[in-house]
Amino acid sequence: MTLLVDADAVLADLRSLAALTGGPAGARRLAWSPDWEVARDWLGERLAELPVGVDRDEAGNLWAELPGADDAEGFVIVGSHLDAVPSGGWLDGALGVCASLGVLRGLAASDAPPPVAVRLVDWADEEGARFGRSLLGSSACAGTLDPDEVRDLRDASKTRLQDALAACGVDLDGAPAAAGRLDGALAYLELHVEQGPVLLDGGRFASAVSGTFGDERYLVGFTGQSAHAGSTPMHLRRDTLAAAATAALEIREVGLRHGGVTTVGSIRSKPAIITAIAGASELMLDLRHLDAGVLATMLAECLDACDKAATAFDCGCEPRRLFGATPTPFHPALIALAREAVAEAGGGDGPPIPSGPLHDATEIGRKVPTVMLFAQSDPPISHTEVEDSPEAALRVAIEAYGRTVGGALDLVGAGDLSVVA
Ligand SMILES: [Zn+2]
């Protein structure tokens, strides 16, 4: 089915939401805050105009269901997140929610119901901006949320995560029961702004997304000997900053070699005075790739680079793992559909691009056939109030999203989308 989404209405919704919960200083939609509830009430008012049932699950995710011709066959999910980082952009998350609202409107206005039900979801606390735990609501649905791991996280004013959720009517210990919401889910489709420079650089308004990168984060400690900068000859030094800096340059080469991204965000050294050799240094390492095997190779090469650099400068080296997430490749049939939809919407034909940032689709894609579409970001930055996209790019992306949802409904109606690749 060709599902046409009214892009004018979606853009009007985005501007209305920005006027209500944003402004010159950026978005005010921090999760579990009164501002966030204002945004969700705004969404609820718009959903009330449609023939949908609205409720919240055990993790605080907001759902709206438009019935289909045969609901026993399952349902397709559309959505994103309304929550934002402090002073965030007007499109991050909101674009996907408003476009999903447009999808429901388009379906409600058509003569026949969709073959299966379509559910809109507004994921709770995608950003993790308040407590440092991203993808909270979607991870509860995907079965990867452990309440004990997040219970005692505190925000800047020392409020516990568990208490902030309780104030919004969410019992943290009951949140994992939200996993039941994915029973019968046939596909998940999410539109988002790219938040990076790839589409702008390629002159593309929108693109299908191939998946989200896996991520490995390490803290690598180098140990040497602090000594006087004047009295210690060059060949007798155990200089940890020289070792860490050498490793950092080699780590850059690893990213270039494997088509991934490798980042040394910081090297902190001690004693950090101008007249002393750095006796200890700590290097922060973040590695991302879409392929789990390549990510593992990159990690091995980066840790080997640290080891070799340490040896070359007569230092020791001790890596410590801080965080890891496996890649989520999206569903091939849905990627093909999204790519075609972008071309049909006037966005041209181009290869799907991977997502460096994590998204709710990262979690849901572990359980349900999933795809994302990106709209060009210009300036190519996000998590700031200057985040923006050209209106022409938003129109292409919104139309492509509607076409992708229509195509996915055809696939599930024909029983062609049963297996996660
Ligand atoms: Zn987002």
Side-chain angles (χ1 to χ4, degrees), residues 80-81 83 91-94 126-127 190 192-193 195 358-360 382-383:
S80 194
H81 61 95
D83 78 300
L91 296 169
D92 180 357
E126 189 271 350
E127 298 287 3
E190 180 174 356
H192 205 279
V193 279
Q195 306 179 282
L358 302 171
H359 291 285
D360 292 310
S382 189
H383 286 187

Side-chain angles (χ1 to χ4, degrees), residues 158-359:
K158 301 283 179 238
T159 302
R160 282 201 319 161
L161 181 141
Q162 181 174 21
D163 299 334
L165 268 60
C168 292
V170 174
D171 167 23
L172 177 63
D173 286 300
R181 290 289 173 141
L182 296 189
D183 292 345
L186 299 166
Y188 173 61
L189 305 106
E190 180 174 356
L191 172 63
H192 205 279
V193 279
E194 184 201 340
Q195 306 179 282
V198 176
L199 293 182
L200 180 64
D201 186 52
R204 301 166 64 191
F205 275 161
S207 175
V209 181
S210 50
T212 58
F213 281 167
D215 191 353
E216 288 286 348
R217 296 179 197 165
Y218 274 74
L219 206 55
V220 184
F222 291 84
T223 47
Q225 181 60 55
S226 180
H228 196 289
S231 63
T232 317
M234 297 305 284
H235 70 285
L236 293 176
R237 297 179 175 211
R238 299 178 62 213
D239 183 344
T240 59
L241 184 51
T246 301
L249 291 177
E250 182 51 33
I251 285 164
R252 190 184 138 73
E253 295 300 319
V254 172
L256 289 167
R257 202 154 55 229
H258 292 286
V261 286
T262 52
T263 305
V264 174
S266 159
I267 298 173
R268 281 191 307 203
S269 294
K270 287 180 186 170
I273 54 177
I274 198 166
T275 51
I277 295 156
S281 292
E282 211 170 56
L283 176 151
M284 285 181 178
L285 174 60
D286 177 289
L287 309 177
R288 303 185 193 213
H289 200 282
L290 188 57
D291 184 289
V294 180
L295 182 64
T297 303
M298 283 169 51
L299 176 61
E301 289 183 11
C302 286
L303 296 182
D304 187 51
C306 290
D307 217 43
K308 286 200 170 102
T311 304
F313 290 90
D314 197 17
C315 295
C317 166
E318 187 77 41
R320 184 158 65 89
R321 191 174 194 238
L322 296 179
F323 171 82
T326 55
T328 300
F330 292 152
H331 193 284
L334 292 176
I335 295 171
L337 207 59
R339 178 175 182 168
E340 204 178 292
V342 169
E344 284 167 359
D349 186 35
I353 65 168
S355 172
L358 302 171
H359 291 285

Side-chain angles (χ1 to χ4, degrees), residues 145-156:
L145 176 70
D146 177 357
D148 288 334
E149 275 181 12
V150 299
R151 187 184 314 282
D152 293 320
L153 294 174
R154 288 175 193 269
D155 68 7

